[in-house]
Amino acid sequence: MESADRIRAIMNELRTSDSVSVAELAALHGVSEMTIRRDLDELAQQGVVRRVRGGALSLLLRGEEPPFGVREREAVDAKQRIGAEVASLLADGEAVLLDGGTTVLEVARAIHDRRLTVLPLALQATQELAGAPRIRLVLPGGEVRHGEMNFVGPLTEASIRSLRFDTAVIGCCGLSAEHGLTAHDLPEVAIKQTALASARRVVVACDSGKFSRTAFGSVCTLDRLDVVVTDEGIPQDQHDALTAAGVTVRIPPA
């Protein structure tokens, strides 16, 4: 098992348990205890765990999202395919809002050589597009959320409200028929809602893992979405609920 896959599996353990054991993880994944210690040290540097003798304790609050650096290593192939698929939906000349998050960051990477006007809501996407020769880059004002590096706050909301977009590409922490689109951070909920109101078309980019999660803040119901781009792991009942709500579901080939 590759390091990224192993760390993702350890993260899954931490979502259901308050602590993990070096010995048990080594036996479970068929690697040395030294390898597991390195994995846990990396997670400790990300602020996910606190190392203790023989293992680690989870520092994530229940329902809290893992740090950006950890999420960026999860479902990488699926996110890259989703990013390319979203890029294929955009026509040259469009005005596009790009939300924050690791999946939408892959959209930014996929549109680097396109002719678009783009307002990114995260510094990571801004950096990806800063040198793009045909991108007209427009930045919002506002406060930058520590760790996530997303723009939030009333200045950001005012910037979005003053503009009109052909497409808003939105990320999420959870998506389901029962609870709609949700996010952990309340200031980001407000930003997403403002983005939805300023866009002619709303495209959600999310890997299928988001369909098993519901975050604290409610952004919108399914009928506010136009397109959801995800991977082949989407549960059939969620796929059916999206289509019943009039949402187009696109799944790029693996």
Side-chain angles (χ1 to χ4, degrees):
M1 179 182 288
E2 297 292 333
S3 173
D5 294 331
R6 192 171 56 251
I7 287 178
R8 182 164 60 250
I10 294 172
M11 285 293 303
N12 289 334
E13 289 284 331
L14 290 167
R15 288 191 176 105
T16 59
S17 176
D18 292 331
S19 65
V20 290
S21 159
V22 169
E24 290 177 359
L25 289 174
L28 179 64
H29 297 291
V31 296
S32 70
E33 293 190 4
M34 181 62 69
T35 296
I36 294 298
R37 290 191 185 96
R38 285 197 296 266
D39 292 341
L40 293 178
D41 288 342
E42 181 174 339
L43 290 173
Q45 291 175 357
Q46 297 279 0
V48 175
V49 301
R50 176 167 63 86
R51 294 285 275 113
V52 296
R53 184 177 180 84
L57 299 176
S58 175
L59 294 180
L60 293 178
L61 298 175
R62 186 170 297 278
E64 185 179 48
E65 62 187 334
F68 185 96
V70 173
R71 302 196 322 273
E72 192 174 18
R73 298 178 61 172
E74 296 181 332
V76 174
D77 290 343
K79 290 175 180 179
Q80 290 174 345
R81 287 186 279 114
I82 291 167
E85 183 71 15
V86 172
S88 75
L89 300 177
L90 304 175
D92 280 354
E94 280 198 37
V96 180
L97 178 145
L98 289 184
D99 197 6
T102 58
T103 307
V104 180
L105 178 57
E106 294 298 337
V107 179
R109 290 168 175 156
I111 64 173
H112 184 275
D113 296 323
R114 297 289 301 280
R115 183 172 63 83
L116 299 163
T117 297
V118 181
L119 185 141
L121 294 178
L123 291 183
Q124 297 95 333
T126 301
Q127 292 170 343
E128 287 291 336
L129 297 173
R134 301 205 300 163
I135 294 287
R136 179 189 180 193
L137 197 60
V138 180
L139 297 184
E143 179 183 355
V144 175
R145 180 185 169 203
H146 180 70
E148 289 297 302
M149 308 305 285
N150 290 358
F151 293 100
V152 294
L155 290 178
T156 308
E157 293 176 42
S159 296
I160 297 170
R161 278 196 297 268
S162 70
L163 301 169
R164 292 295 176 266
F165 301 93
D166 297 299
T167 302
V169 181
I170 303 296
C172 66
C173 301
L175 184 62
S176 69
E178 183 178 2
H179 299 290
L181 192 147
T182 57
H184 289 288
D185 187 68
L186 294 184
E188 285 196 17
V189 169
I191 294 297
K192 293 178 192 293
Q193 290 172 336
T194 306
L196 265 61
S198 296
R200 180 177 58 84
R201 177 177 63 162
V202 176
V203 177
V204 174
C206 69
D207 68 88
S208 59
K210 298 303 192 317
F211 291 97
S212 63
R213 303 170 194 167
T214 298
F216 180 56
S218 175
V219 177
C220 69
T221 55
L222 296 185
D223 58 5
R224 289 287 289 108
L225 313 177
D226 297 297
V227 182
V228 169
V229 182
T230 186
D231 60 73
E232 63 279 1
I234 178 175
Q236 188 60 49
D237 63 329
Q238 297 298 321
H239 185 289
D240 294 345
L242 284 166
T243 56
V247 182
T248 299
V249 180
R250 295 181 68 101
I251 301 173

